[in-house]
């Protein structure tokens, strides 16, 4: 009888799941857009009764219309920024876009800040859209026309127009499927359902000024985290100062050793702080880095030996590595950079050569140097340099490279910069991002409240959208593996001796 009930529950759940899959549109990633409104600001019928003039730079705009667009992830999967192989854009044939406002959606301030429009086209930034996430755009256009067209491409998915009416007939497959899945789970796994559960408590807010210093590679993530935290805690003032990982740690330790209150500062470090620091580390997520090149190099995959040969001067032209006839120009970060420290430790296996160039184009500082190498102060400066130099190579955290059209990440030993190769020990260039405090902050302090807030889904969505893998996220807990502090990881020799002893005891 128990076997029959279990089988029935399983089949019920399977049917429900398939029904839900049909409602969601299958197993592909999908963005659906819908035109919810496309109408003139002054209806045709009222033009004889109302005189309304809209001016731009002193000139009256003719035939002004407002278009309300809803953009939604209607698939079963989260869509990451890196999934966008072509940015999502909209065209309004015969009309000109004169203004856009993002009225709904996650991170709408960032989307509104980074979108751009010109002529009849509007382009959205690459953005994180989790399952069922949506944004709404109110677009002001001028001119004759009534069409809206979309373009864009996401890896493993599609962008479609949703012309279906949102009524009960559309909702029933999803509702039935969801109910059947829930019923099967209840029958199989939750016999004690009904004993009650508590909602996840929100973290505390703390008024006052909080400084977040350190890693420049993390600065854009920190800016967005700060923006969302300020929205949740209006009395908090959060300022970002991307000083570089080492300078941020030094500044925090100096502050803690003075008479000032260190509870208003957090320092971000790419990787764990050196043993000489007396700070308290809070692992945030796995940071994935990439060696990047200008597309003019013509290379897409490098071995560790080839990368080390580039940085030692063994190779000076990309055609020696199967690429184009372009002189190799190495663009690096300064010694305060945590990204550079991880690169030297995990990829080079040693330190970078000395600076030989100021302009990254000629050996103007050291004409006889084996390597043409320059340094740039921040991640954005480094990527800007690589973007404009057809023979350039450098390194960065993974998500930043997508913003520069001529910059491409390369595989290392045939492996992409991604979490699965890292789990397998096959991709070397990664670390754990840390928030550091001086001592353990009180929960209601400025630093303590912010650290508590970073455990919310909102904060983790932001981390994921920039390519970071949170140390604790949904059903994933990396605190005992990738996110475990190096000092707490067992020595491989001790592990082997322990295994041999266990076998002997048996």
């Amino acid at each position: 009888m128990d076997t029959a009930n279990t089988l029935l529950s399983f089949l019920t759940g399977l049917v429900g799941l398939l029904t839900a899959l049909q409602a969601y549109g299958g197993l592909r990633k999908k963005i659906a857009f819908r035109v919810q409104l496309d109408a003139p600001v002054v209806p045709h019928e009222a033009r004889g009764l109302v005189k309304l003039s809209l001016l731009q730079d002193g000139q009256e705009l003719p035939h002004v219309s407002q278009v309300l667009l809803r953009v939604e992830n209607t698939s079963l999967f989260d869509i990451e920024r890196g999934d966008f192989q072509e940015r999502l854009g909209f065209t309004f044939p015969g009309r000109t876009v004169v203004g856009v406002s993002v009225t709904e959606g996650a991170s709408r301030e960032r989307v509104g800040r980074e979108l751009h429009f010109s002529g009849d086209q509007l382009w959205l930034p690459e953005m994180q859209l989790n399952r069922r996430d949506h944004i709404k755009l109110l677009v002001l256009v001028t001119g004759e026309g009534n069409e809206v067209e979309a373009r864009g491409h996401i890896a493993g998915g599609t962008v479609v127009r949703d012309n279906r009416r949102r009524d009960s007939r559309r909702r029933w497959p999803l509702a039935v499927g969801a109910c059947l899945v829930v019923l099967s789970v209840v029958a199989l796994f939750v016999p004690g359902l009904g004993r009650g559960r508590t909602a996840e408590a929100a973290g505390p807010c703390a008024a006052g000024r909080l400084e977040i210093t350190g890693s420049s590679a993390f600065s854009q993530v920190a800016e967005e985290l700060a923006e969302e935290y300020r929205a949740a805690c209006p009395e908090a003032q959060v300022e970002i100062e991307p000083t570089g990982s080492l300078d941020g740690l030094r500044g925090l330790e100096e502050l803690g050793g003075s008479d000032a209150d260190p509870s208003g500062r957090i320092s971000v470090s790419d990787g764990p702080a050196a043993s000489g620091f007396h700070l308290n580390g809070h692992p945030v997520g796995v940071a994935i880095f990439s060696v990047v090149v200008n597309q003019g190099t013509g290379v897409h995959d490098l071995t560790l030996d080839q990368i080390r040969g580039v940085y030692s001067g063994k190779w000076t032209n990309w055609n020696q590595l199967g690429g184009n006839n372009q002189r190799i120009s190495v663009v690096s970060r300064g010694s305060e950079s945590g990204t550079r420290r991880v690169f030297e430790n995990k990829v080079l296996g040693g330190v970078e050569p000395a600076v030989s160039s100021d302009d990254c184009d000629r050996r103007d500082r050291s004409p006889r140097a084996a390597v043409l190498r320059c340094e740039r102060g921040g991640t954005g400066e480094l990527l800007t340099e690589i973007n404009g130099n057809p023979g350039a190579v450098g390194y960065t955290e993974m998500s930043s490279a997508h913003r520069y059209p001529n910059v491409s990440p390369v595989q290392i030993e045939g492996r992409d910069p991604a979490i699965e190769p890292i789990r397998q020990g096959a991709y070397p260039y990664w670390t754990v991002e840390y928030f550091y405090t001086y001592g353990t902050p009180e929960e209601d302090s400025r630093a303590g409240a912010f650290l508590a807030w970073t455990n919310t889904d909102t904060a983790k969505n932001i981390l994921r959208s920039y390519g970071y893998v949170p140390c604790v996220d949904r059903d994933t807990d990396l605190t005992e593996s990738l996110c475990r502090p190096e000092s707490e990881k067992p020595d491989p020799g001790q592990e082997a001796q322990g295994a041999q002893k266990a076998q002997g005891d048996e």
Side-chain angles (χ1 to χ4, degrees):
M1 186 65 181
D2 290 340
T3 303
N5 288 336
T6 300
L7 180 59
L8 178 60
S9 297
F10 172 76
L11 293 175
T12 303
L14 181 61
V15 171
L17 180 61
L18 293 175
T19 308
L21 285 175
Q22 180 194 24
Y24 272 102
L27 291 173
R28 303 185 69 199
K29 296 182 179 181
K30 184 169 71 172
I31 292 177
F33 79 96
R34 187 153 51 100
V35 180
Q36 295 185 310
L37 173 71
D38 190 346
V41 173
V42 179
H44 296 285
E45 300 81 359
R47 288 183 179 176
L49 304 173
V50 177
K51 175 61 176 176
L52 178 64
S53 297
L54 297 179
L55 304 179
Q56 185 179 51
D57 298 329
Q59 301 294 319
E60 183 173 354
L61 298 174
H63 309 297
V64 181
S65 298
Q66 50 189 336
V67 181
L68 184 63
L69 297 175
R70 179 186 173 96
V71 179
E72 183 177 2
N73 177 358
T74 59
S75 69
L76 288 169
F77 307 99
D78 293 346
I79 295 175
E80 313 284 347
R81 286 187 182 188
D83 291 331
F84 285 88
Q85 298 183 343
E86 180 184 352
R87 295 176 71 176
L88 181 61
F90 296 94
T91 304
F92 304 83
R95 296 187 280 185
T96 301
V97 180
V98 295
V100 185
S101 175
V102 183
T103 62
E104 286 184 18
S107 303
R108 63 178 182 272
E109 291 185 19
R110 184 190 68 81
V111 175
R113 191 169 58 245
E114 296 183 13
L115 64 78
H116 71 272
F117 55 88
S118 177
D120 65 349
Q121 295 187 339
L122 159 66
W123 296 96
L124 300 180
E126 295 145 348
M127 55 189 164
Q128 174 91 11
L129 280 175
N130 293 338
R131 297 185 296 271
R132 312 309 297 172
D133 275 0
H134 77 278
I135 63 169
K136 281 189 178 181
L137 307 166
L138 183 61
V139 188
L140 201 65
V141 294
T142 178
E144 300 285 357
N146 57 9
E147 293 295 324
V148 180
E149 300 171 355
R151 61 178 298 180
H153 182 65
I154 52 177
T158 183
V159 177
V160 299
R161 182 170 187 142
D162 182 1
N163 290 317
R164 294 173 293 180
R165 293 182 60 188
R166 300 280 174 164
D167 56 21
S168 60
R169 288 174 297 175
R170 183 185 182 280
R171 294 192 187 99
W172 77 263
L174 178 59
V176 171
C179 288
L180 289 173
V181 171
V182 170
L183 287 173
S184 67
V185 171
V186 169
L188 281 171
F189 303 112
V190 198
L193 190 68
R195 288 193 286 251
R197 55 180 295 185
T198 57
E200 181 182 8
C205 289
R209 182 171 179 265
L210 174 68
E211 292 179 288
I212 300 179
T213 65
S215 169
S216 69
F218 194 78
S219 61
Q220 287 190 323
V221 190
E223 289 282 4
E224 192 160 338
L225 289 170
E227 180 180 295
E228 293 294 333
Y229 180 66
R230 286 191 294 261
C233 303
E235 295 184 359
Q237 297 94 46
V238 186
E239 297 180 9
I240 311 301
E241 297 181 20
T243 58
S245 295
L246 288 179
D247 280 353
L249 293 171
R250 292 191 191 105
L252 178 60
E253 186 140 286
E254 289 173 4
L255 180 69
S258 69
D259 294 333
D261 179 9
S263 66
R265 183 179 295 184
I266 292 173
S267 184
V268 185
S269 175
D270 303 330
S275 57
F277 289 100
H278 302 90
L279 301 172
N280 192 16
H282 310 268
V284 178
V286 175
I288 304 173
F289 298 98
S290 176
V291 172
V292 292
V293 296
N294 186 289
Q295 292 179 359
T297 62
V299 298
H300 309 284
D301 184 7
L302 293 170
T303 66
L304 285 172
D305 285 342
Q306 288 173 332
I307 294 171
R308 291 164 183 167
V310 165
Y311 280 76
S312 70
K314 179 180 181 180
W315 316 113
T316 57
N317 194 298
W318 290 112
N319 61 14
Q320 297 172 298
L321 298 173
N324 297 330
N325 183 21
Q326 289 283 356
R327 179 183 54 185
I328 295 175
S329 174
V330 173
V331 185
S332 298
R333 295 285 310 283
S335 59
E336 79 289 344
S337 166
T339 307
R340 170 177 166 176
R341 189 170 73 248
V342 178
F343 177 74
E344 290 178 331
N345 290 340
K346 294 198 171 184
V347 179
L348 277 192
V351 298
E352 292 194 48
V355 174
S356 61
S357 173
D358 287 327
D359 63 6
C360 305
D361 188 55
R362 53 199 172 91
R363 293 173 175 82
D364 49 1
R365 292 186 61 172
S366 181
R368 297 184 179 180
V371 183
L372 195 166
R373 177 181 175 273
C374 63
E375 287 183 358
R376 292 295 179 260
T379 300
E381 296 172 62
L382 178 143
L383 289 169
T384 298
E385 187 66 53
I386 294 176
N387 190 65
N389 186 332
V393 59
Y395 42 76
T396 182
E397 51 88 20
M398 185 55 206
S399 65
S400 295
H402 294 294
R403 303 182 185 94
Y404 297 81
N406 298 327
V407 177
S408 295
V410 298
Q411 293 181 323
I412 299 179
E413 302 284 0
R415 297 302 185 109
D416 289 315
I419 190 64
E420 283 310 313
I422 290 172
R423 285 177 184 268
Q424 298 162 8
Y427 184 82
Y429 195 14
W430 65 277
T431 190
V432 175
E433 204 74 23
Y434 282 86
F435 286 161
Y436 276 94
T437 58
Y438 192 87
T440 302
E442 298 291 335
E443 291 184 3
D444 58 352
S445 68
R446 287 163 289 170
F450 182 82
L451 289 175
W453 180 81
T454 59
N455 289 319
T456 65
D457 286 341
T458 298
K460 290 175 182 178
N461 283 344
I462 293 172
L463 289 170
R464 285 193 296 267
S465 74
Y466 281 90
Y468 292 82
V469 181
C471 289
V472 179
D473 185 28
R474 298 177 181 173
D475 57 349
T476 301
D477 187 346
L478 303 177
T479 55
E480 293 300 320
S481 54
L482 299 181
C483 291
R484 189 175 181 181
E486 293 293 331
S487 60
E488 297 180 7
K489 291 180 180 178
D491 180 77
Q494 292 178 348
E495 279 192 321
Q497 291 175 10
Q500 292 174 358
K501 184 178 184 300
Q503 290 177 356
D505 292 341
E506 290 177 358

